[in-house]
Amino acid sequence: MTEKKAKWIWKYGEYEIYHHKLLMCRRQEMGCDYPGVIWRIAPNEVSVRFAAKMHALTDTTLRIVTHSKGMAYFGDRKYPVNEDLFFPAGDYEVFVMLYDLEGFPSCFIDSEYLKTDESWVDMSFDLPDAPVACEPAFYSPDDNPAVFPFSYEEVTPVSVTETDGGLLYDFGKELFGPVTITEYPENEGVRLTYGESKEEALDYPEALIWENLRPGFDPVRPGRAFRYIHTQSDSGCPVKLCASYEYLPVEDIASFHCEDETINKIWDVCSYTFHLNSREVYLDGIKRDRWCWSGDAYQSFWANYYLYFDPQIVKRTILGLLGKPPYYTHINTINDYSAYLVAAVWDYYYATGDAVFVKRIWDNLKSLYAFMTSRTNEKGYVVKRDGDWIFIDWSEMDKEGILCAEQILLWNAHQVMGRLAELMGEDSSVYGASAAQLKENIMEDFWEEERGLFYDDKADGSRQITRHPNIFAIMYDFVPEEKVKRIAESVIYSDRYVQITTPYFKLYELIAMCKLGDFEKVQDYIRFYWGGMLEQGATTVWERYDPEATKEEALAMYGMKYGTSLCHAWGSGPIYLLGRYCCGVAATDVGYRTFEVRPDFGRFQEIRATVPVKDGVVKVHLENGRLEVMATVPGGTLVYGGKRYKLSANERVMVEAS
Amino acid sequence: MTEKKAKWIWKYGEYEIYHHKLLMCRRQEMGCDYPGVIWRIAPNEVSVRFAAKMHALTDTTLRIVTHSKGMAYFGDRKYPVNEDLFFPAGDYEVFVMLYDLEGFPSCFIDSEYLKTDESWVDMSFDLPDAPVACEPAFYSPDDNPAVFPFSYEEVTPVSVTETDGGLLYDFGKELFGPVTITEYPENEGVRLTYGESKEEALDYPEALIWENLRPGFDPVRPGRAFRYIHTQSDSGCPVKLCASYEYLPVEDIASFHCEDETINKIWDVCSYTFHLNSREVYLDGIKRDRWCWSGDAYQSFWANYYLYFDPQIVKRTILGLLGKPPYYTHINTINDYSAYLVAAVWDYYYATGDAVFVKRIWDNLKSLYAFMTSRTNEKGYVVKRDGDWIFIDWSEMDKEGILCAEQILLWNAHQVMGRLAELMGEDSSVYGASAAQLKENIMEDFWEEERGLFYDDKADGSRQITRHPNIFAIMYDFVPEEKVKRIAESVIYSDRYVQITTPYFKLYELIAMCKLGDFEKVQDYIRFYWGGMLEQGATTVWERYDPEATKEEALAMYGMKYGTSLCHAWGSGPIYLLGRYCCGVAATDVGYRTFEVRPDFGRFQEIRATVPVKDGVVKVHLENGRLEVMATVPGGTLVYGGKRYKLSANERVMVEAS
């Protein structure tokens, strides 16, 4: 008993729902709170009932520590929370009944014979009994699970300059964190203008984030994105501040080093960008939108598995995005984003083998899937219904017709649901049948045999050809090898169709190229696109980059002079591409029970890389015409130069580079 | 424009969900917060988006007043809340985007060209646009819809006595309201012990409600039920207080006066009891449970229509009980309570003609109905599933078998859903078919032709005979006249079967007797049962009364020495019985477009009564062998002595008493 460690407990999912909710309301722009209101933010449950048994061998005292309100039954007597309670030796059935109107109900007991931990049972709402949830960060009576456990590091400005009637702080690189105003004239208004760029910090009120503080303000300002901060007071007296870097303490497992210093720099900048966007859940960007988007998160999950392999943030993000039924709209209102979320659950399970998580969200996921399929047309196609946002990509295309790319995403969702249903011990045949029927329809209606490509229907019934469904057909293994080759030739490597310009969809295209075995092209593109940003002084990856754009054009977006996010998670694609396709590490069974290392080094001659797998890493070392591969866990196979080599745990395999 | 009145606006239903939520968490017992955790308390939504158009003919200023956080778009520019904003003359599309992590999002604008009111559109979550909601009580910038608009009256104790180491306040009758401690020794602990009875107030810690206050306490204590309060301090220094009566300001429309002073007194006590339990929503009792229960509320709605005809509290109660999907359990976890809630929606619509309300809750009601029917067995019967509570009544009976009473309630729910579906312009045939099939099965499986009664299945497959299904068969017009008579003889007026002992189910039996035309029997019972309580000094109607019980037995319940509620809403049945059956006033078409006055005076010789109908009243005056009836609205028919008399608005009809 004594070696058990007490932890704060709560209803499963409520911690994640709560912190997602706060995050979705924390965006601020132009001095205004800018809550996420375009889709429903799932609220927390109000009340809970947790149960346990206490076998007190001696008289005992304990205290139910909570930030919520409520009481407990020990046997049939009621006891208050947050008071020292005495119990004579004996056996007790314990029920803790809590409500919370602001946070979410949670409590903590650490006594000789009763400790809160995962063994407690959530009996709220007469739902089937379920284990309560805990997080390792909350294990002391002084903790509060409503406060997210970020880490903090003080940061020092590289320069402080008097300009524009105030002081301009430059912290040398993009940051996120709270700022404390340390010196300011009393009884005066103070203004802080935050800038990802210097231009932005000096351009009140056009900058996206600023605040006009009135006398009596709290000198500790909430966490915000910035590299520059301009401070000024009404009278011109100097306003000084210090800043912290606020971050999620997850350590990189992966590393990548090659002979090309630009690529090495890109890796570092991608990693830093990705860490900045790794928070309670995955953000799209730390300045804008500061929201959690399923499509963005889908790519972040991949970067996760290939950078630091942290299942916790994936689960938090999925729980936040999935929210709670009923589903009135798609995830983020976007049809494709619902499909990505379903796909992400499979990816998570495949990477981690964590079937418990799938079980926890299974009912909600089925509700989402039921919502998705309830809105398809008579052929089972995704069509635009009231409230739907058919996104796919920012590309200019007719989105009012039936887009083939949406159908391939749905086909994948059918398949994933079938696999998950099997995992849950449920009948999967309906999902399989839906997938098969949909595939048949898609091939019939959208595949053009003559040219060897997929097209879309436009609203007027005519056809358009876009890269998107053709990329998905390769990425999701929708078509056999022979058709993959035709698509590559007719679309992927053709200049006839409008190019992908967003780094978001570009990642999918680069994946398709990797699958085509053309890593060289991907390598060149990374150097050109990400390298181009670095040349322009980027310290984090931008939401969007156009080598031809002026600085002004680069910074503006959505009709706002500084609308572009200069620190966007989806810019971290190279981490995934380098680990997954260059080093070629990929699970071939659930939870990396088996995995392959199938490198495609392109033009690289020297590589020293570490790629995470579940509970271990794969080390890849290419140098002087020799390839060395070592995995710290069993189950691996090196596939290289047309041969297969078994990777035993911790044993190096060395082969000649081909 | 100028005559429009600005009102606070919020998302429809959120006000009711919020106040229901608070109420469900406000119960306190034995010094503990006792939240409602047995079923799910629906949480509030986090964020909203409200839209309107502003046509500013001149330059204008305005302020978005809110207790929530957020911002507004006027055109494509963002503006903060709670600041004075200036707009040049022009046309603006306005979106107010709010979030609230504690209350529920609401706002108020009162300016020349823009006022918040029902014309604003709720565009949250990409759901179909819907009108926002308002309440007449909230129309000034200083208001806060998170504070429920109760009225307060100071009350004076009838005596203050030194006893048991402190002071005993007696307020002369049952009350509910906050107490302010006006005089107390500083730096000492203070205890208040509340009692519905003197015994309870003097019996710490056995009393149900008490609080041990530590130095530094807030002298204003939250509203609680009491007639007596005992105060004491650690040192014995006197602790003085004053108290208020907290109440919902609804005025009685009905009155009832007859030659029997006991009945008159019963009426007054019933009315007072009912007002004490009429709050944000209907309580079962003001001391215990202080929760909102659907079965209790079902009867309260009837008392409402026959006492003060206030649609608002009915809607608040239905919205609170209905909560939000998904439905994991029945309403209050009780199968019958889900069925009553469905029935109550029809009753509400039939009394008020308010189809707008039905439209607002229709989707949720259908979700509840889908939950109910998803748990029936292959014959469409209500059976006990995991998490179900088959209640019907506290009577001792086998509830593990298939209870016929549950089936009749479900049959009624099918019928009601069919009528509501028609009202909503939807296909009702599935509901009708379910009702018809269920009735056929019930008659086949539960009707015993020989004895002329309904029985139930016990768990072991054998039969039991209870009054309950037989009462429902009459009350819900489940069987034709001929069978009604047989049931009356074989069960209702037979002593062979266990008597109903709860005033809750007794009301249904009394209604059945009224429908049988036996008001005399009902009249005698009211005098015996309610009169008996008054003789024992009741100032409000008790949860339960047994003439044979000792005082100690009367006060104890649920294993608690003072567990019995001495102010229970369901004791107000006589109001309904006297208005509905003695005076005989009843709608015969939706919203009292037509109605009947079909009195059954029993042994009464003199009656002067007012009975509400929609937008008016019916006055009934029986004296000296003459009956005078007058209605203030058209549509009425007096049915008396076998004859029908048209009631024109405000015209007296006089007939000889028969």
Side-chain angles (χ1 to χ4, degrees), chain A residues 330-560:
Chain A
H330 282 287
I331 302 301
N332 307 128
T333 77
I334 301 176
N335 300 54
D336 10 334
Y337 279 26
S338 294
Y340 290 132
L341 189 58
V342 174
V345 173
W346 177 257
D347 287 353
Y348 170 78
Y349 171 66
Y350 201 75
T352 62
D354 178 3
V356 172
F357 176 69
V358 178
K359 188 159 192 285
R360 291 289 200 149
I361 65 168
W362 181 233
D363 283 343
N364 287 5
L365 197 67
K366 281 196 290 186
S367 292
L368 173 63
Y369 176 79
F371 173 79
M372 290 164 65
T373 52
S374 74
R375 294 161 79 88
T376 52
N377 77 1
E378 69 290 349
K379 288 194 100 169
Y381 288 146
V382 175
V383 291
K384 190 175 188 309
R385 306 277 186 198
D386 266 4
D388 283 4
W389 177 3
I390 302 283
F391 174 60
I392 298 293
D393 191 11
W394 290 119
S395 283
E396 268 194 36
M397 58 171 112
D398 183 329
K399 294 184 184 174
E400 298 298 316
I402 300 184
L403 294 193
C404 180
E406 289 283 358
Q407 315 318 321
I408 297 177
L409 285 176
L410 179 61
W411 168 82
N412 184 61
H414 288 318
Q415 290 217 308
V416 162
M417 288 300 291
R419 283 182 234 133
L420 293 173
E422 265 173 47
L423 178 65
M424 295 293 104
E426 293 182 10
D427 178 24
S428 66
S429 57
V430 58
Y431 305 104
S434 298
Q437 183 60 57
L438 181 59
K439 185 171 201 164
E440 199 180 311
N441 291 353
I442 293 171
M443 293 312 294
E444 171 100 15
D445 293 341
F446 297 106
W447 173 253
E448 196 187 292
E449 180 58 29
E450 200 180 330
R451 282 187 285 183
L453 51 76
F454 289 96
Y455 58 85
D456 302 320
D457 277 355
K458 293 167 76 168
D460 62 8
S462 69
R463 295 175 171 187
Q464 66 184 347
I465 296 168
T466 62
R467 295 179 173 268
H468 305 83
N470 295 290
I471 290 169
F472 279 168
I474 298 173
M475 187 174 104
Y476 284 115
D477 300 321
F478 183 71
V479 287
E481 194 58 25
E482 164 264 326
K483 285 198 171 63
V484 166
K485 287 193 176 126
R486 299 200 59 202
I487 292 171
E489 200 176 311
S490 58
V491 182
I492 307 294
Y493 297 133
S494 161
D495 290 332
R496 291 187 57 187
Y497 309 110
V498 181
Q499 294 294 339
I500 303 292
T501 57
T502 61
Y504 165 66
F505 217 93
K506 192 73 191 180
L507 180 62
Y508 299 139
E509 191 174 46
L510 295 173
I511 290 170
M513 291 180 185
C514 287
K515 295 190 75 157
L516 289 165
D518 297 324
F519 185 72
E520 273 186 28
K521 289 195 176 75
V522 173
Q523 179 180 10
D524 292 344
Y525 187 82
I526 292 174
R527 216 176 183 294
F528 155 77
Y529 188 86
W530 277 264
M533 274 185 253
L534 295 195
E535 271 176 32
Q536 298 210 9
T539 63
T540 46
V541 190
W542 304 345
E543 177 175 19
R544 194 193 48 172
Y545 165 66
D546 174 358
E548 309 297 320
T550 64
K551 181 117 197 200
E552 210 166 310
E553 286 166 351
L555 297 178
M557 207 162 165
Y558 297 118
M560 295 179 291

Side-chain angles (χ1 to χ4, degrees), chain B residues 167-414:
Chain B
L167 296 179
L168 180 69
Y169 284 75
D170 175 6
F171 289 87
K173 62 178 180 181
E174 177 92 13
L175 277 167
F176 187 94
V179 156
T180 304
I181 308 176
T182 52
E183 221 181 293
Y184 54 98
E186 250 182 77
N187 305 322
E188 270 188 43
V190 159
R191 175 185 303 144
L192 304 187
T193 310
Y194 298 75
E196 288 191 310
S197 65
K198 189 173 170 181
E199 290 80 354
E200 186 177 15
L202 294 177
D203 198 359
Y204 170 86
E206 295 298 328
L208 208 69
I209 305 180
W210 46 255
E211 40 186 3
N212 287 323
L213 302 171
R214 287 167 194 158
F217 61 78
D218 182 352
V220 182
R221 309 311 307 163
R224 292 197 172 94
F226 61 88
R227 171 177 166 173
Y228 300 89
I229 305 176
H230 185 257
T231 71
Q232 66 188 119
S233 65
D234 291 347
S235 66
C237 280
V239 177
K240 295 191 180 170
L241 54 75
C242 63
S244 293
Y245 171 40
E246 178 181 277
Y247 64 99
L248 188 71
V250 285
E251 299 270 333
D252 284 356
I253 293 171
S255 61
F256 188 89
H257 200 87
C258 67
E259 74 273 23
D260 182 342
E261 276 309 318
T262 299
I263 296 286
N264 296 342
K265 185 81 203 306
I266 288 170
W267 174 278
D268 291 343
V269 166
C270 285
S271 164
Y272 182 59
T273 301
F274 195 62
H275 278 277
L276 281 167
N277 283 287
S278 308
R279 296 180 56 81
E280 298 94 331
V281 296
Y282 281 115
L283 294 179
D284 57 343
I286 60 173
K287 177 175 83 171
R288 205 222 81 240
D289 299 331
R290 286 196 65 187
W291 284 344
C292 185
W293 294 90
S294 177
D296 306 58
Y298 185 52
Q299 300 192 349
S300 289
F301 299 149
W302 290 342
N304 177 325
Y305 305 135
Y306 283 88
L307 183 62
Y308 49 56
F309 206 98
D310 176 49
Q312 297 307 108
I313 188 173
V314 178
K315 288 193 284 184
R316 289 198 302 271
T317 304
I318 291 175
L319 284 165
L321 284 168
L322 193 54
K324 297 178 180 183
Y327 294 102
Y328 298 119
T329 59
H330 282 287
I331 302 301
N332 308 127
T333 76
I334 302 177
N335 300 53
D336 11 333
Y337 279 27
S338 292
Y340 289 132
L341 188 59
V342 174
V345 173
W346 176 257
D347 287 355
Y348 171 79
Y349 171 67
Y350 202 75
T352 62
D354 179 2
V356 171
F357 176 70
V358 178
K359 188 158 191 288
R360 291 289 202 150
I361 64 168
W362 182 232
D363 283 343
N364 287 5
L365 197 67
K366 279 195 291 187
S367 293
L368 173 63
Y369 176 79
F371 174 79
M372 290 164 66
T373 52
S374 75
R375 294 162 78 89
T376 53
N377 76 1
E378 69 290 349
K379 289 194 101 169
Y381 289 145
V382 175
V383 291
K384 191 173 187 310
R385 305 276 186 199
D386 265 4
D388 283 4
W389 178 2
I390 302 281
F391 173 61
I392 296 296
D393 191 10
W394 290 118
S395 284
E396 269 195 35
M397 58 172 113
D398 183 329
K399 292 182 184 175
E400 298 298 316
I402 301 184
L403 294 192
C404 180
E406 289 283 358
Q407 316 316 323
I408 298 178
L409 285 176
L410 179 60
W411 169 82
N412 184 61
H414 287 320

Side-chain angles (χ1 to χ4, degrees), chain A residues 30 174 194-203 206-209 227-228 287-288 533 536-568:
Chain A
M30 314 282 189
E174 177 92 13
Y194 298 75
E196 290 191 310
S197 64
K198 188 172 171 182
E199 291 80 355
E200 185 178 15
L202 294 176
D203 198 359
E206 294 299 326
L208 208 70
I209 305 179
R227 171 178 166 173
Y228 300 90
K287 177 175 84 171
R288 203 222 82 240
M533 274 185 253
Q536 298 210 9
T539 63
T540 46
V541 190
W542 304 345
E543 177 175 19
R544 194 193 48 172
Y545 165 66
D546 174 358
E548 309 297 320
T550 64
K551 181 117 197 200
E552 210 166 310
E553 286 166 351
L555 297 178
M557 207 162 165
Y558 297 118
M560 295 179 291
K561 205 167 163 187
Y562 302 98
T564 305
S565 155
L566 298 189
C567 177
H568 226 64

Side-chain angles (χ1 to χ4, degrees), chain A residues 29 33 40 45 71, chain B residues 29 33 40 45 71 78:
Chain A
E29 283 186 11
D33 290 301
R40 179 169 181 254
E45 297 305 318
M71 48 93 78
Chain B
E29 283 185 11
D33 290 302
R40 180 171 181 251
E45 297 305 319
M71 49 92 77
K78 301 171 189 114

